[in-house]
Amino acid sequence: MQLDKFSDYALRVLVALAVRSPERVPTSEIAAIYGLSENHLSKVATQLAREGFVTSERGRNGGLNLSRPADQILIGAVVRAMKRNDTVVACFGRDKSCLILPACGLREPLAAAQEAFFEMLDRYTLADVTRFRSALGALLDA
């Protein structure tokens, strides 16, 4: 499995918010920290808010913050939510055009591998991956 940029950026946003928690951080500031497109990061932030991982406030004092404690945010849940429509192989989705699909033996091991990937990520919370908060804060200039 490989994380797409959307999932990668979502995890980066959550790390930045966990480091700065309980402070509200503007998306523009997070984009500047990581050197990412503010427009693209806004889309990521919108999805994170829609999925309930962050809360978003508009306006002068607006920004993002975690919607619940970092120890209650599973990394696997975040990646699942961000990759909702992505599959390991096309035939797991809507594309059923593969010639060998009716007799393919790859589907079962690939499905198991995909689930194992998410199960491993479910063992970790945002708190686990940000346990070196002061070091991360220094790197993120927080």
Side-chain angles (χ1 to χ4, degrees):
M1 289 283 306
Q2 180 176 345
L3 287 184
D4 59 351
K5 285 183 181 180
F6 202 77
S7 300
D8 176 26
Y9 294 172
L11 292 171
R12 291 190 205 195
V13 167
L14 292 174
V15 165
L17 294 176
V19 168
R20 302 273 292 271
S21 184
E23 184 181 333
R24 188 169 302 150
V25 185
T27 304
S28 59
E29 190 173 323
I30 297 170
I33 288 168
Y34 288 119
L36 301 173
S37 159
E38 185 178 344
N39 184 46
H40 193 65
L41 214 59
S42 291
K43 293 176 186 175
V44 171
T46 298
Q47 184 68 21
L48 285 169
R50 188 177 299 129
E51 297 293 337
F53 298 111
V54 302
T55 56
S56 177
E57 292 285 329
R58 291 187 179 267
R60 185 171 178 213
N61 295 319
L64 303 171
N65 55 3
L66 297 178
S67 62
R68 55 187 180 264
D71 65 353
Q72 294 178 16
I73 298 176
L74 295 176
I75 300 302
V78 174
V79 175
R80 273 188 191 90
M82 297 299 113
K83 294 182 68 65
R84 177 159 300 179
N85 297 321
D86 292 345
T87 58
V88 174
V89 289
C91 64
F92 285 4
R94 292 188 177 123
D95 184 357
K96 304 294 184 202
S97 63
C98 181
L99 177 67
I100 65 170
L101 185 62
C104 183
L106 287 172
R107 289 175 56 86
E108 186 177 335
L110 290 174
Q114 180 177 347
E115 189 52 36
F117 175 77
F118 288 121
E119 286 176 6
M120 179 56 73
L121 293 177
D122 282 338
R123 295 180 187 177
Y124 297 90
T125 66
L126 184 57
D128 294 329
V129 301
T130 58
R131 68 182 175 274
F132 302 113
R133 190 173 170 174
S134 60
L136 284 167
L139 292 168
L140 296 173
D141 290 324

